[in-house]
Structure formats: structure tokens, C-alpha cells
Amino acid sequence: PLGVLTLLDSWSRRAFLATLAASSRAQDPVFRSDVRVVNILATVTNRGGQLQRDLAADDFVLLENGRPQTIHYFSRESDLPLTLGLLVDTSLSQEKVLSAERAASFRFLDRVLRENMDQVFIMQFDAGIFLRQKLTSNRKELDDALSLVDTQTRAELQLQGGGTRLYDAVEKSSSEILKQRQGRKALILLTDGVDVRSDGTSSTAIDAAQRADALIYAIYFSAEGPEGRGVLQRMCRDTGGGFFEVSKKRNFEDVFDLIQEELRSQYSLGFVSDQPISNPEFRKLQLATKQKGLVVQARTRYWAGR
């Protein structure tokens, strides 16, 4: 077993050990030096939207490109490190809600962040993309950075010509920060979903997040119509995250509470594909439960690269 564990990254070792401890029925999988363990984070709810936390590995069915796969490790209560990116839309369309977003963000990070274990970075985007705080577990540094997140001044707006580079911000965060990290990874977007002036597209943003094995959670607020709702829903669905809308009945703090609950209720699964990698490609994933009436929230594909 020790020889097996040295072949896996730190996340895979944790999850592999958790599986052995959690189930006497688990059998030691045999790994080769050239294997890649594909990690999947999933959230399961019933038809009423309540989280289901009592499922076992045998309750799931996993397909890769339509082929059944064996779940090699499984954990219900993951204590794996969390790398979180908070991406705040500071274009003028969000000016009225920035104060509420900041207040809710302070509270969320105070509840979620486990010092010396989890790390968070803060980025704002409008016509430009600004990393306000690099990865840290220091609450004071995060609080100070959030205080600096603000909308463009009228003078800056005239100088830069306006814009909202949502897709570029997601791609930059995924490729330059999250891709280098192990463990659980997620981006939280506070935005109306409208993109103006990005070099990339929603598809390139999703690709980057999937290559980084990152979930996208969107907190949607729009006072000008539902233009960006659909693209945000797609980004969340394809990466295995969640879409939440702020309304009169659900404020920012309520939404952050829901995200916090999901992050604490994830299933961690891993498998080794039965198909060797001949050419780098995206492979389709389908994760479902044998029990009818349950909804599985997990990413729809992963990057199979050498």
C-alpha cells in the first residue's frame, strides 16, 4: 500500500486513505506508475432541494464517454484543503450592490476559511482584471483586500472605455492560479453575467475551469434584465458548481450560506479510466445515482492529458 500511495498526489492519497477507513468492503485498487486518478466532487439533492449526505459509493453510477467506470475511492465528509477564488464584478452595473456583496463576503470567509488549511484569493474585474489579494489564509489580509474592491470612477470609465471582462477573469484565475493547486478548488462569481470586451468566450472560460478541476459558483444579481443568467447557469452546470440568484426573498448572505453548506456536503470520488490516453482530449463524464428522484451536481467532462 505504501508503494501505491507514493504514486498519487496529496489529494488522491487523502481520499484513498479515507476510503479504506470508511468501508470494510473497500478493496485495494492496483495502480501503475503511469495512471492518473480523476477526481470528481459532487453534491446530491432530492427533488425538494435538500442535500443528501448519506449515500455510499455503491449508490453511484459513473460513465466516461458512455463507458462504465469503477469508483476507486470515495468519501462523504471531505476535509480536503479548499482553494477558493472570489471574483467580483465591479462594472457600473453592479455599483448598487457592492456594499452588500462585501459585507456578505466578509461573513462567508469568516465562516468557511480554515486557517493553515484553506486559501483564498480575491480578484475584481470590469474593463480590467485586478488581483486584489493573492492566495492567503490570513483573514485580515482578505478583509483589507475586500475593502479595496470598488467600481470604476467616472474618469476611469471614460479613460478605459468601459467593459466587463468576466470570461477573461475566469480563464486567468483558472489557468494561472487554480491549475497549480491540489485538493478542492472553486471560483465564486458575483456578477450579472454580462461580458463586454473579453478576449475569450464563455466556452474558453469553461474549458479553463475544467482543465483546472475547478467548480464555478455564481451569485447572480441583475437590475437590468436576465441577459447574463443563461451563460452563468451553463458555466456552473458544466463545472459541477451551483447557480444562485439574489432576490427580495434571498439576499447575498442567504446565498453565501447555501454555498457554504454545499462545500461542506460534497462527495469526493475518484476513478482511473479504463481507456489509456493516446491523444490529449476532453472526456465526457456522467455521474448519477441508482436511486430515482435524486439530482447529482458534478462536472460534465475532464481534461485527459499526458
Side-chain angles (χ1 to χ4, degrees):
L2 290 177
V4 171
L5 294 178
T6 59
L7 303 178
L8 305 177
D9 60 30
S10 59
W11 186 17
S12 299
R13 288 198 299 272
R14 284 172 178 262
F16 179 67
L17 289 171
T19 304
L20 295 181
S23 173
S24 60
R25 295 176 299 167
Q27 298 183 359
D28 293 352
V30 178
F31 294 102
R32 306 179 311 277
S33 60
D34 61 342
V35 302
R36 179 196 171 185
V37 178
V38 180
N39 301 301
I40 304 172
L41 293 172
T43 302
V44 183
T45 57
N46 60 22
R47 288 174 178 171
Q50 285 81 32
L51 291 165
Q52 302 295 293
R53 301 183 177 90
D54 58 352
L55 300 178
D58 289 343
D59 294 317
F60 288 89
V61 176
L62 174 63
L63 304 178
E64 178 202 77
N65 287 346
R67 296 173 59 89
Q69 301 295 317
T70 300
I71 297 173
H72 286 294
Y73 69 74
F74 176 86
S75 178
R76 278 196 298 267
E77 297 180 5
S78 176
D79 65 347
L80 299 171
L82 174 65
T83 303
L84 194 65
L86 194 62
L87 274 58
V88 185
D89 182 347
T90 51
S91 59
L92 290 181
S93 65
Q94 299 292 286
E95 185 176 20
K96 294 181 180 179
V97 295
L98 263 183
S99 294
E101 289 178 347
R102 277 195 295 262
S105 298
F106 284 131
R107 180 171 175 267
F108 171 75
L109 293 178
D110 189 56
R111 290 189 174 192
V112 169
L113 185 64
R114 297 167 296 179
E115 290 198 60
N116 302 319
M117 187 172 185
D118 301 328
Q119 290 198 309
V120 180
F121 69 91
I122 297 174
M123 180 179 287
Q124 76 173 71
F125 61 92
D126 40 53
I129 300 172
F130 310 96
L131 182 64
R132 288 302 186 192
Q133 175 59 54
K134 63 182 182 180
L135 282 169
T136 183
S137 60
N138 187 297
R139 285 186 172 84
K140 185 180 185 305
E141 290 178 348
L142 291 166
D143 289 350
D144 291 346
L146 276 171
S147 299
L148 297 175
V149 173
D150 206 348
T151 55
Q152 299 167 291
T153 64
R154 299 293 175 179
E156 290 172 332
L157 183 63
Q158 291 178 350
L159 182 64
Q160 296 183 4
T164 310
R165 295 176 60 192
L166 166 62
Y167 306 149
D168 289 350
V170 171
E171 187 169 354
K172 183 180 181 68
S173 298
S174 301
S175 302
E176 298 182 11
I177 301 176
L178 294 184
K179 193 174 182 180
Q180 318 306 322
R181 306 288 297 179
Q182 299 294 332
R184 296 184 299 153
K185 296 174 278 189
L187 295 174
I188 297 181
L189 313 181
L190 293 95
T191 179
D192 59 6
V194 175
D195 184 282
V196 181
R197 289 184 57 184
S198 272
D199 294 325
T201 65
S202 59
S203 294
T204 59
I206 292 170
D207 286 355
Q210 290 176 329
R211 287 172 186 259
D213 297 341
L215 310 175
I216 293 179
Y217 288 90
I219 301 178
Y220 170 80
F221 175 83
S222 177
E224 301 178 2
E227 181 180 349
R229 185 201 306 265
V231 69
L232 288 179
Q233 290 175 328
R234 179 186 165 218
M235 294 171 78
C236 297
R237 180 183 66 248
D238 288 357
T239 61
F243 173 87
F244 301 90
E245 183 171 355
V246 173
S247 64
K248 292 181 180 179
K249 295 182 179 180
R250 179 181 287 174
N251 60 29
F252 284 102
E253 288 194 354
D254 294 335
V255 170
F256 271 122
D257 285 344
L258 292 172
I259 294 175
Q260 173 189 321
E261 191 69 14
E262 284 203 9
L263 290 173
R264 290 179 174 176
S265 306
Q266 291 173 324
Y267 294 94
S268 178
L269 307 92
F271 75 98
V272 177
S273 175
D274 65 351
Q275 294 294 300
I277 299 173
S278 56
N279 295 301
E281 63 179 351
F282 277 110
R283 293 184 177 180
K284 185 178 180 181
L285 291 173
Q286 292 173 279
L287 183 65
T289 59
K290 297 175 184 177
Q291 180 180 338
K292 294 182 179 180
L294 296 182
V295 178
V296 178
Q297 181 178 301
R299 56 178 169 155
T300 59
R301 62 178 187 165
Y302 77 98
W303 178 250
R306 292 180 175 178

mmCIF file of all heavy atoms in Angstrom, residues 270-287:
data_model
loop_
_atom_site.group_PDB
_atom_site.id
_atom_site.type_symbol
_atom_site.label_atom_id
_atom_site.label_comp_id
_atom_site.label_asym_id
_atom_site.label_seq_id
_atom_site.Cartn_x
_atom_site.Cartn_y
_atom_site.Cartn_z
ATOM 1 N N GLY A 270 -13.171 9.203 -6.960
ATOM 2 C CA GLY A 270 -12.033 9.128 -7.868
ATOM 3 C C GLY A 270 -12.034 7.828 -8.635
ATOM 4 O O GLY A 270 -12.440 6.786 -8.118
ATOM 5 N N PHE A 271 -11.582 7.904 -9.881
ATOM 6 C CA PHE A 271 -11.501 6.697 -10.697
ATOM 7 C C PHE A 271 -10.284 6.778 -11.602
ATOM 8 O O PHE A 271 -9.706 7.849 -11.826
ATOM 9 C CB PHE A 271 -12.772 6.511 -11.537
ATOM 10 C CG PHE A 271 -12.886 7.427 -12.731
ATOM 11 C CD1 PHE A 271 -12.529 6.988 -14.009
ATOM 12 C CD2 PHE A 271 -13.348 8.731 -12.584
ATOM 13 C CE1 PHE A 271 -12.631 7.832 -15.106
ATOM 14 C CE2 PHE A 271 -13.449 9.577 -13.676
ATOM 15 C CZ PHE A 271 -13.095 9.128 -14.947
ATOM 16 N N VAL A 272 -9.875 5.618 -12.103
ATOM 17 C CA VAL A 272 -8.814 5.524 -13.099
ATOM 18 C C VAL A 272 -9.453 4.998 -14.377
ATOM 19 O O VAL A 272 -10.049 3.917 -14.383
ATOM 20 C CB VAL A 272 -7.685 4.582 -12.636
ATOM 21 C CG1 VAL A 272 -6.633 4.444 -13.738
ATOM 22 C CG2 VAL A 272 -7.047 5.104 -11.358
ATOM 23 N N SER A 273 -9.368 5.756 -15.458
ATOM 24 C CA SER A 273 -10.021 5.384 -16.707
ATOM 25 C C SER A 273 -9.527 4.036 -17.217
ATOM 26 O O SER A 273 -8.345 3.696 -17.106
ATOM 27 C CB SER A 273 -9.768 6.454 -17.769
ATOM 28 O OG SER A 273 -10.301 6.049 -19.023
ATOM 29 N N ASP A 274 -10.470 3.284 -17.786
ATOM 30 C CA ASP A 274 -10.080 2.003 -18.400
ATOM 31 C C ASP A 274 -9.557 2.190 -19.821
ATOM 32 O O ASP A 274 -9.198 1.219 -20.485
ATOM 33 C CB ASP A 274 -11.261 1.025 -18.387
ATOM 34 C CG ASP A 274 -12.428 1.496 -19.267
ATOM 35 O OD1 ASP A 274 -12.392 2.648 -19.749
ATOM 36 O OD2 ASP A 274 -13.371 0.709 -19.462
ATOM 37 N N GLN A 275 -9.519 3.465 -20.279
ATOM 38 C CA GLN A 275 -9.012 3.766 -21.621
ATOM 39 C C GLN A 275 -7.712 4.568 -21.528
ATOM 40 O O GLN A 275 -7.727 5.704 -21.026
ATOM 41 C CB GLN A 275 -10.049 4.562 -22.418
ATOM 42 C CG GLN A 275 -11.322 3.790 -22.725
ATOM 43 C CD GLN A 275 -11.062 2.614 -23.655
ATOM 44 O OE1 GLN A 275 -10.603 2.781 -24.766
ATOM 45 N NE2 GLN A 275 -11.368 1.405 -23.179
ATOM 46 N N PRO A 276 -6.595 4.028 -21.988
ATOM 47 C CA PRO A 276 -5.335 4.777 -21.958
ATOM 48 C C PRO A 276 -5.441 6.067 -22.765
ATOM 49 O O PRO A 276 -6.250 6.179 -23.692
ATOM 50 C CB PRO A 276 -4.335 3.808 -22.607
ATOM 51 C CG PRO A 276 -4.976 2.457 -22.507
ATOM 52 C CD PRO A 276 -6.456 2.698 -22.592
ATOM 53 N N ILE A 277 -4.623 7.033 -22.404
ATOM 54 C CA ILE A 277 -4.610 8.309 -23.118
ATOM 55 C C ILE A 277 -3.678 8.208 -24.319
ATOM 56 O O ILE A 277 -2.464 8.058 -24.154
ATOM 57 C CB ILE A 277 -4.162 9.445 -22.188
ATOM 58 C CG1 ILE A 277 -5.127 9.586 -21.008
ATOM 59 C CG2 ILE A 277 -4.064 10.760 -22.961
ATOM 60 C CD1 ILE A 277 -4.659 10.572 -19.962
ATOM 61 N N SER A 278 -4.242 8.256 -25.519
ATOM 62 C CA SER A 278 -3.423 8.254 -26.729
ATOM 63 C C SER A 278 -3.216 9.672 -27.234
ATOM 64 O O SER A 278 -2.141 10.033 -27.707
ATOM 65 C CB SER A 278 -4.084 7.403 -27.819
ATOM 66 O OG SER A 278 -5.406 7.850 -28.083
ATOM 67 N N ASN A 279 -4.261 10.486 -27.135
ATOM 68 C CA ASN A 279 -4.184 11.894 -27.505
ATOM 69 C C ASN A 279 -4.884 12.721 -26.433
ATOM 70 O O ASN A 279 -5.952 12.331 -25.954
ATOM 71 C CB ASN A 279 -4.867 12.150 -28.858
ATOM 72 C CG ASN A 279 -4.155 11.444 -30.001
ATOM 73 O OD1 ASN A 279 -2.981 11.688 -30.247
ATOM 74 N ND2 ASN A 279 -4.881 10.572 -30.685
ATOM 75 N N PRO A 280 -4.300 13.870 -26.045
ATOM 76 C CA PRO A 280 -4.964 14.730 -25.066
ATOM 77 C C PRO A 280 -6.341 15.141 -25.577
ATOM 78 O O PRO A 280 -6.502 15.516 -26.738
ATOM 79 C CB PRO A 280 -4.027 15.930 -24.957
ATOM 80 C CG PRO A 280 -2.697 15.417 -25.391
ATOM 81 C CD PRO A 280 -2.997 14.411 -26.465
ATOM 82 N N GLU A 281 -7.328 15.083 -24.700
ATOM 83 C CA GLU A 281 -8.698 15.388 -25.109
ATOM 84 C C GLU A 281 -9.577 15.613 -23.896
ATOM 85 O O GLU A 281 -9.223 15.232 -22.774
ATOM 86 C CB GLU A 281 -9.280 14.219 -25.918
ATOM 87 C CG GLU A 281 -9.374 12.927 -25.100
ATOM 88 C CD GLU A 281 -9.956 11.754 -25.863
ATOM 89 O OE1 GLU A 281 -10.458 11.967 -26.978
ATOM 90 O OE2 GLU A 281 -9.928 10.638 -25.329
ATOM 91 N N PHE A 282 -10.735 16.240 -24.114
ATOM 92 C CA PHE A 282 -11.766 16.290 -23.091
ATOM 93 C C PHE A 282 -12.567 14.994 -23.169
ATOM 94 O O PHE A 282 -12.932 14.538 -24.261
ATOM 95 C CB PHE A 282 -12.711 17.483 -23.303
ATOM 96 C CG PHE A 282 -12.189 18.776 -22.748
ATOM 97 C CD1 PHE A 282 -11.775 19.794 -23.598
ATOM 98 C CD2 PHE A 282 -12.117 18.984 -21.377
ATOM 99 C CE1 PHE A 282 -11.297 20.987 -23.093
ATOM 100 C CE2 PHE A 282 -11.642 20.180 -20.856
ATOM 101 C CZ PHE A 282 -11.229 21.184 -21.720
ATOM 102 N N ARG A 283 -12.844 14.404 -22.009
ATOM 103 C CA ARG A 283 -13.670 13.207 -21.958
ATOM 104 C C ARG A 283 -14.943 13.497 -21.170
ATOM 105 O O ARG A 283 -14.901 14.147 -20.116
ATOM 106 C CB ARG A 283 -12.900 12.051 -21.312
ATOM 107 C CG ARG A 283 -11.726 11.572 -22.160
ATOM 108 C CD ARG A 283 -11.039 10.361 -21.566
ATOM 109 N NE ARG A 283 -9.967 9.875 -22.438
ATOM 110 C CZ ARG A 283 -9.211 8.824 -22.150
ATOM 111 N NH1 ARG A 283 -9.404 8.146 -21.015
ATOM 112 N NH2 ARG A 283 -8.262 8.445 -22.988
ATOM 113 N N LYS A 284 -16.047 13.013 -21.685
ATOM 114 C CA LYS A 284 -17.346 13.281 -21.089
ATOM 115 C C LYS A 284 -17.548 12.462 -19.817
ATOM 116 O O LYS A 284 -17.189 11.278 -19.762
ATOM 117 C CB LYS A 284 -18.454 12.960 -22.095
ATOM 118 C CG LYS A 284 -19.854 13.321 -21.627
ATOM 119 C CD LYS A 284 -20.875 13.016 -22.719
ATOM 120 C CE LYS A 284 -22.289 13.369 -22.254
ATOM 121 N NZ LYS A 284 -23.285 13.061 -23.310
ATOM 122 N N LEU A 285 -18.116 13.081 -18.803
ATOM 123 C CA LEU A 285 -18.424 12.413 -17.541
ATOM 124 C C LEU A 285 -19.929 12.448 -17.295
ATOM 125 O O LEU A 285 -20.583 13.467 -17.544
ATOM 126 C CB LEU A 285 -17.714 13.104 -16.371
ATOM 127 C CG LEU A 285 -16.197 12.998 -16.298
ATOM 128 C CD1 LEU A 285 -15.673 13.885 -15.178
ATOM 129 C CD2 LEU A 285 -15.758 11.552 -16.078
ATOM 130 N N GLN A 286 -20.453 11.349 -16.798
ATOM 131 C CA GLN A 286 -21.842 11.277 -16.368
ATOM 132 C C GLN A 286 -21.876 10.577 -15.013
ATOM 133 O O GLN A 286 -21.489 9.410 -14.910
ATOM 134 C CB GLN A 286 -22.690 10.503 -17.378
ATOM 135 C CG GLN A 286 -22.864 11.208 -18.715
ATOM 136 C CD GLN A 286 -23.559 10.310 -19.727
ATOM 137 O OE1 GLN A 286 -22.931 9.454 -20.348
ATOM 138 N NE2 GLN A 286 -24.864 10.499 -19.865
ATOM 139 N N LEU A 287 -22.292 11.303 -13.998
ATOM 140 C CA LEU A 287 -22.402 10.743 -12.654
ATOM 141 C C LEU A 287 -23.858 10.812 -12.222
ATOM 142 O O LEU A 287 -24.474 11.881 -12.271
ATOM 143 C CB LEU A 287 -21.523 11.523 -11.674
ATOM 144 C CG LEU A 287 -21.489 11.002 -10.233
ATOM 145 C CD1 LEU A 287 -20.838 9.613 -10.166
ATOM 146 C CD2 LEU A 287 -20.744 11.980 -9.328
#
